[in-house]
Amino acid sequence: MRYQIAAANWKMNLSWDEADNLLTEVLSLTASVKESQRVVFAVPAPYLDMAVGHIADKFHMHVAAQNCHSKKSGAFTGEISVQMLNSVEVEYVIIGHSERREYFNESNQFLAEKIDIALEYGIKPIFCCGEALPIRESGGQNEFVSTQLQESLYHLSAEQVKQVVIAYEPIWAIGTGKTASSEQAQEMHAHIRSELAGKYGREIADQISILYGGSVKASNAKEIFHQPDVDGGLVGGASLVAEEFVAIINALK
Ligand code: PGA
């Protein structure tokens, strides 16, 4: 189902008390979330259960993990399985964030395995894709993102791919304050949707939410989100400030 989604990615930030206060503040400032919209909080693992408690009686709000392992269980010290996430009622998981790809060497093939296990446990993947600056400068961004989609998603059935949320996050725009222009975002989102339509048909492609990520702020969210193929955002830095993130939620179509 193609929802308009505001997803907070807190990354490796905040203490328990800060996390608790931020959630309290965001929830108290957020008016009801529309049926066509979703708000997702991707919080650090130690706060997942707390976040699930906060949103328990809220409509259309969900908690996400920032990562998961590709195996069900076993001798993987320090890792988190989707079975665990499922058991604490986490409903989404970010898969393939560029920071995971870069610092933890996660390949498209490995991410495909994570996507599979998440779907097996009924957890919706937020699959991140996006190019680095040299690729953008050489004009290779469309081809680069197409390969990421092909290698991590295209083994899925149409029914499965509908469960996936895609986040286009150009690496050069993450945490840099340099946002893609709304035209650049629309152009890539339209490309992603047309690739999905080529593989799964237009009807399926039109049901998939494609989020933009990379220096989304209260001041630019509306313009970006109002592009026809942009279905909201995955928000890092600005999601750590209650008023900013609430304004971003309010900027959803
Ligand atoms: P940013 O991060 O909003 O701080 O640029 C986005 C992300 O990495 O998901």
Side-chain angles (χ1 to χ4, degrees):
M1 174 72 192
R2 182 164 164 193
Y3 296 110
Q4 303 297 309
I5 301 174
N9 176 11
W10 288 1
K11 307 192 181 184
M12 196 175 72
N13 291 297
L14 308 178
S15 66
W16 173 280
D17 286 345
E18 288 165 343
D20 196 23
N21 289 340
L22 179 56
L23 280 169
T24 305
E25 230 181 310
V26 170
L27 297 186
S28 75
L29 295 171
T30 307
S32 62
V33 180
K34 288 188 211 156
E35 175 58 41
S36 59
Q37 301 173 341
R38 295 291 181 267
V39 175
V40 178
F41 297 94
V43 307
Y47 314 146
L48 286 168
D49 187 47
M50 177 237 281
V52 167
H54 269 279
I55 55 115
D57 59 346
K58 304 285 175 192
F59 286 112
H60 313 319
M61 289 194 173
H62 306 275
V63 172
Q66 297 176 8
N67 183 32
C68 66
H69 197 266
S70 62
K71 297 280 188 296
K72 250 177 225 175
S73 61
F76 299 99
T77 302
E79 290 295 314
I80 297 170
S81 74
V82 285
Q83 207 167 28
M84 296 172 190
L85 297 179
N86 179 286
S87 73
V88 292
E89 293 169 33
V90 167
E91 294 167 291
Y92 287 80
V93 60
I94 298 178
I95 290 180
H97 190 281
S98 61
E99 288 148 19
R100 300 291 319 170
R101 293 172 184 268
E102 184 181 348
Y103 306 132
F104 301 92
N105 298 320
E106 296 192 356
S107 66
N108 290 339
Q109 289 73 17
F110 183 49
L111 299 174
E113 292 175 30
K114 294 189 182 204
I115 297 268
D116 287 343
I117 195 131
L119 291 172
E120 191 184 323
Y121 279 83
I123 296 179
K124 296 181 185 65
I126 301 176
F127 175 73
C128 301
C129 56
E131 79 288 353
L133 190 58
I135 299 172
R136 165 70 56 172
E137 284 173 344
S138 69
Q141 66 272 14
N142 286 5
E143 204 186 322
F144 183 82
V145 168
S146 296
T147 304
Q148 290 182 317
L149 300 175
Q150 259 160 33
E151 295 186 353
S152 297
L153 297 183
Y154 284 6
H155 62 288
L156 300 176
S157 68
E159 274 317 299
Q160 288 175 313
V161 84
K162 280 198 292 186
Q163 304 302 313
V164 178
V165 173
I166 294 175
Y168 168 60
E169 299 205 302
I171 297 171
W172 46 272
I174 296 178
T176 57
K178 195 172 158 191
T179 331
S181 67
S182 48
E183 292 77 20
Q184 283 172 321
Q186 168 56 25
E187 203 183 337
M188 177 58 85
H189 283 228
H191 168 70
I192 293 172
R193 206 177 299 285
S194 97
E195 286 281 289
L196 292 168
K199 170 75 183 160
Y200 293 102
R202 180 53 62 181
E203 203 190 318
I204 300 291
D206 282 342
Q207 291 179 56
I208 297 175
S209 300
I210 308 176
L211 315 185
Y212 168 80
S215 299
V216 173
K217 308 186 266 288
S219 58
N220 59 26
K222 198 160 194 146
E223 191 187 336
I224 299 173
F225 294 175
H226 279 245
Q227 298 301 314
D229 285 294
V230 179
D231 305 308
L234 180 56
V235 187
S239 72
L240 298 170
V241 181
E243 296 78 13
E244 275 281 312
F245 188 58
V246 171
I248 291 167
I249 297 172
N250 292 336
L252 289 172
K253 283 198 274 264

